[in-house]
Amino acid sequence: MSTVILIGTQWGDEGKGKVIDLLADGFLHVVRPQGGNNAGHTILVGEREVKLHLVPSGILHAHTQCYLGSGMVIDPNVLLQELKQLQEAGVSIEGRLWISPAAHLILPYHLMQDRLLEKAKGANAVGTTGRGIGPSYADKVHRTGIRLGDLLRPDYLRHQLQLALSIKQRELDALGADAQFALEELLDYCQQAAHELGRYITDIESRLQKALEKGEPLLLEGAQGVLLDTTLGTYPYVTSSSTTAAGLCASVGIGPKSVKEIIGVVKAYATRVGEGPFITEMSQEELAQVDHAKWREFGTTTGRKRRIGWLDAVALKSVVQSNSIDTLAITKLDLLDSWDSIKLCVAYRKGDQYLEYLPVYWDTKGWEPVYRHFPGWKEETRAIRSYDNLPQAAKEYLHAIGQFCGASIKLVSVGPERSQTIRVNA
Ligand code: IMP
C-alpha cells in the first residue's frame, strides 16, 4: 500500500497544483491518470512561468518518474509545446517521462467537433474548454479512437484512422462543418507525432506494478474535480472522464487495495467555470467584494472568469463519502480574511423539504442553500504557519468543514507560495 491519490472535490481549480508540488518530494512516481489539456496550472520554475496542462507537476522534482496514464486524452501539439517549455526552463525530461500507449489521441477533427457540438446545443451548451476532450473520449467509447500506441503501428494506424475518419466526416458534415479532413494529411500528422513522442511511449502499467512490488511511493494526481465526473458529477454539465478516486485507479490499472491515502483538495469557498448548477453561487452584492484578478480566479486553460460561491459542505460530504477521502487539503483560506461573515452550505431546501446529500438530478430550480453563518476573522492569515496560531474564528470554520464531512484536515493553504502552508497534525 504505497499509493496516495489526490483529487479535486469541487468543479476543478481547487489548487491541486500547489498541493501536488508540496507532496511530490515524498514520491518516486507521479501519475496523471485522466483528462487532457482541459486542465492546467501555472507554476514557477525559478523566475520562469511554465503552464502545465498534461505533464504531472511532479516533473519539477528531479528525482521523480512521471507518467501520462492510460485514461488520458492527449493532443500531441499541446504536449510537444509543453515539453519544449519545460526543456527551455532547464527541466530534464529524458528518462523521466512516460506515456501510456493506451491513452487516446486528440486529433484536429476532435477540436472542430467540440466547437460544433457546443454550437448545436445553443442555449444548452456545456461551456467546454473547446479542447476536443469530449469528442476524443466519445470515440474511445465508440471504439473508433486512435491510441498513442497506434502511432507506433503504421499499418493498424492507417486502417483505424481510415475507419474513424469515414464515420467522423459524416458526423462533422451533419453538424454543419465546412472542412474535409484528408486521410493522408492526418497520417502525416500522426507520423510527425510518432517521430517526436515515440520514445516516451511505453507500457506504464507494468512499470507502476513493479514500483508497487518494491513498495515505492506513488502519487496519482487527479485532474478536474469530482463534481465534474461523468457519472457522479452535475451531469450533463460535466467533463468526459472519471475524476473520482476509483476512476483514477481504473485509469492506470492500480487496484483499490494498493491505496494508502486519499486526499481531497477543497477551496475554502467554491468556484466553477462553464455552465451548470451552482447552488451556493454568490449574490451580486457579495461578488462586488471579490476581485477576480487578486483572487486569481481566471481559468488557466481558457482565461474565462470563474463563477464564485460559498463552500457547499453538502456536496463535499457526498464527495468525501463516495471517494473514501481520508484527509482534506483546504486551499485559499486567506481570501476570506476580510469578510464580516462566512457562509457554509449544510443542506438544500425547497419549501419544507430538506436534502443533506447530493441529488442525482441536479435540477436546482426551486432549491435554495441552507447556510450556517460563521463570524469572519478579519485578520491576515498569509503569514501564519501553524494551525494553533490561526484566528479562533478561522479554526471554527475549518473545524466545522472537517466535522460535517467526516474527514480530517491535512493542510491549509494561506497563499500561493510553497511556504504559505499550514501542515495540520491530525
Ligand atoms: P471539457 O472537459 O472541456 O469537455 O469541459 C466540460 C466542463 O468541464 C466545462 O464546464 C469546463 O469548464 C469544465 N472543466 C474541464 N476541465 C476543467 C478544469 O480543469 N478545471 C475546471 N473546469 C474544467
Side-chain angles (χ1 to χ4, degrees):
M1 293 218 303
S2 53
T3 304
V4 172
I5 296 183
L6 186 127
I7 49 171
T9 60
Q10 295 160 305
W11 287 283
D13 308 320
E14 296 90 353
K16 294 182 288 293
K18 174 177 166 177
V19 182
I20 291 158
D21 184 49
L22 284 168
L23 297 180
D25 245 354
F27 292 89
L28 278 179
H29 307 273
V30 182
V31 191
R32 167 84 191 272
Q34 42 70 234
N37 59 312
N38 44 353
H41 44 256
T42 307
I43 38 173
L44 273 182
V45 185
E47 302 274 283
R48 196 190 282 259
E49 271 198 348
V50 177
K51 282 190 178 14
L52 291 182
H53 298 284
L54 295 164
V55 177
S57 26
I59 199 80
L60 300 183
H61 297 254
H63 67 282
T64 57
Q65 293 280 306
C66 293
Y67 307 83
L68 302 186
S70 304
M72 286 189 76
V73 285
I74 296 174
D75 182 328
N77 279 342
V78 176
L79 180 56
L80 286 167
Q81 217 180 337
E82 216 166 291
L83 298 186
K84 189 163 164 255
Q85 265 194 73
L86 284 166
Q87 274 154 342
E88 283 169 2
V91 179
S92 98
I93 291 158
E94 300 309 315
R96 300 184 52 218
L97 182 78
W98 308 107
I99 308 172
S100 167
H104 276 248
L105 275 175
I106 295 179
L107 289 166
Y109 52 67
H110 292 126
L111 301 179
M112 180 176 289
Q113 195 173 19
D114 199 353
R115 190 169 50 77
L116 291 171
L117 277 169
E118 283 285 271
K119 198 168 156 213
K121 287 179 186 171
N124 299 307
V126 174
T128 70
T129 58
R131 301 302 192 254
I133 306 296
S136 176
Y137 277 117
D139 283 2
K140 173 180 177 172
V141 181
H142 284 149
R143 291 147 293 194
T144 52
I146 311 292
R147 303 195 287 176
L148 268 287
D150 300 339
L151 294 178
L152 309 178
R153 302 195 290 165
D155 291 344
Y156 178 79
L157 177 67
R158 173 175 286 276
H159 163 83
Q160 181 74 353
L161 196 54
Q162 196 163 25
L163 171 73
L165 190 56
S166 70
I167 296 168
K168 186 61 64 185
Q169 192 64 57
R170 278 178 273 173
E171 289 173 359
L172 292 173
D173 291 347
L175 286 165
D178 49 13
Q180 293 286 317
F181 286 90
L183 177 65
E184 296 306 325
E185 269 175 39
L186 284 169
L187 282 169
D188 285 349
Y189 178 82
C190 289
Q191 206 174 19
Q192 186 61 25
H195 175 67
E196 303 197 61
L197 295 174
R199 65 185 179 284
Y200 304 114
I201 300 172
T202 183
D203 172 8
I204 72 166
E205 267 86 23
S206 65
R207 284 179 186 250
L208 295 177
Q209 287 305 328
K210 276 194 198 115
L212 287 177
E213 273 169 27
K214 287 194 250 167
E216 292 175 353
L218 203 148
L219 178 67
L220 304 190
E221 160 180 335
Q224 291 86 42
V226 174
L227 299 181
L228 286 174
D229 180 76
T230 321
T231 307
L232 291 186
T234 51
Y235 191 87
Y237 299 98
V238 293
T239 189
S240 303
S241 66
S242 181
T243 58
T244 59
L248 264 54
C249 282
S251 294
V252 284
I254 287 181
K257 284 190 179 166
S258 306
V259 179
K260 182 171 81 173
E261 184 181 357
I262 301 175
I263 305 169
V265 186
V266 54
K267 252 181 210 172
Y269 50 97
T271 58
R272 113 166 267 180
V273 267
E275 303 307 318
F278 188 4
I279 197 165
T280 61
E281 193 157 12
M282 284 185 180
S283 65
Q284 285 307 320
E285 202 184 315
E286 288 167 333
L287 282 174
Q289 290 186 58
V290 176
D291 177 341
H292 273 75
K294 209 170 128 209
W295 284 37
R296 297 179 187 220
E297 291 300 2
F298 286 95
T300 317
T301 302
T302 57
R304 287 179 292 177
K305 200 170 173 178
R306 294 180 186 143
R307 297 158 66 191
I308 299 194
W310 298 105
L311 181 52
D312 183 343
V314 178
L316 183 60
K317 184 176 179 176
S318 292
V319 167
V320 164
Q321 291 174 338
S322 59
N323 288 271
S324 303
I325 287 174
D326 300 293
T327 54
L328 292 174
I330 300 188
T331 59
K332 298 187 106 168
L333 181 76
D334 54 301
L335 292 167
L336 300 180
D337 284 353
S338 60
W339 293 74
D340 291 332
S341 162
I342 316 284
K343 296 182 190 173
L344 182 68
C345 173
V346 292
Y348 308 142
R349 186 180 63 200
K350 191 184 206 171
D352 54 7
Q353 241 183 305
Y354 284 84
L355 265 192
E356 288 181 0
Y357 57 88
L358 207 54
V360 175
Y361 295 109
W362 268 80
D363 180 7
T364 48
K365 253 183 253 127
W367 287 94
E368 52 187 52
V370 177
Y371 286 118
R372 199 174 144 192
H373 296 258
F374 293 81
W377 40 96
K378 311 277 283 178
E379 196 184 318
E380 278 239 0
T381 55
R382 291 188 141 212
I384 296 176
R385 298 289 175 268
S386 97
Y387 191 80
D388 286 345
N389 291 342
L390 278 171
Q392 188 55 29
K395 281 193 276 195
E396 274 165 27
Y397 177 60
L398 294 172
H399 178 74
I401 297 170
Q403 203 178 40
F404 188 89
C405 302
S408 59
I409 296 173
K410 187 182 182 85
L411 62 85
V412 181
S413 168
V414 288
E417 304 296 326
R418 257 189 205 184
S419 63
Q420 290 173 306
T421 306
I422 298 170
R423 290 179 194 261
V424 186
N425 300 320

